[in-house]
Amino acid sequence: MKPACLFLPLTCLATAAGASDIDLDCKALAEDMVDRLSSQGLLVEGGDSRRRVEAITLELCGGAEVSAQEQLEENKKQWHDNWFFEERAEKPGNKRLRNLKR
């Protein structure tokens, strides 16, 4: 599939994703992480280990959300720049115009 064919679907996805912030559902992820570690016997029962694991997971997930949002914004900018300002002689429209000029 050519990059131009991907532009419309990617733009729709980027616009939809850009309309609201990226949400990785960090709270559910943190709870799942605590449950999994607990079921494997990796958490000390009692004390604040559950709370610490949940806080660490929330922090990491929040950082991933910010990074993903930044990457999305940068990719949207590049998609638009490439689509509107790219000049390629091999584009089918350019070939047809060249043939008409002959």
Side-chain angles (χ1 to χ4, degrees):
M1 198 178 253
K2 294 188 178 204
C5 299
L6 293 174
F7 178 73
L8 186 58
L10 291 176
T11 301
C12 293
L13 288 174
T15 303
S20 63
D21 290 336
I22 292 176
D23 182 15
L24 300 180
D25 198 10
C26 292
K27 183 67 175 164
L29 178 67
E31 291 171 1
D32 187 39
M33 176 69 80
V34 169
D35 291 342
R36 286 182 181 198
L37 290 173
S38 182
S39 71
Q40 295 294 319
L42 297 172
L43 288 181
V44 177
E45 293 303 321
D48 65 342
S49 61
R50 291 181 68 88
R51 190 171 35 96
R52 287 177 50 212
V53 167
E54 193 170 310
I56 290 169
T57 305
L58 285 171
E59 181 183 336
L60 291 173
C61 185
E65 281 180 340
V66 169
S67 177
Q69 187 67 37
E70 289 171 354
Q71 290 175 27
L72 176 67
E73 294 301 321
E74 182 62 32
N75 286 340
K76 281 190 340 185
K77 181 181 176 206
Q78 289 176 359
W79 293 331
H80 289 282
D81 289 348
N82 287 341
W83 176 258
F84 291 116
F85 301 113
E86 185 179 75
E87 292 184 24
R88 295 182 300 157
E90 71 275 0
K91 286 197 270 186
N94 290 348
K95 288 179 183 177
R96 284 192 295 272
L97 287 174
R98 216 174 316 125
N99 290 336
L100 287 173
K101 290 180 182 179
R102 288 183 191 172

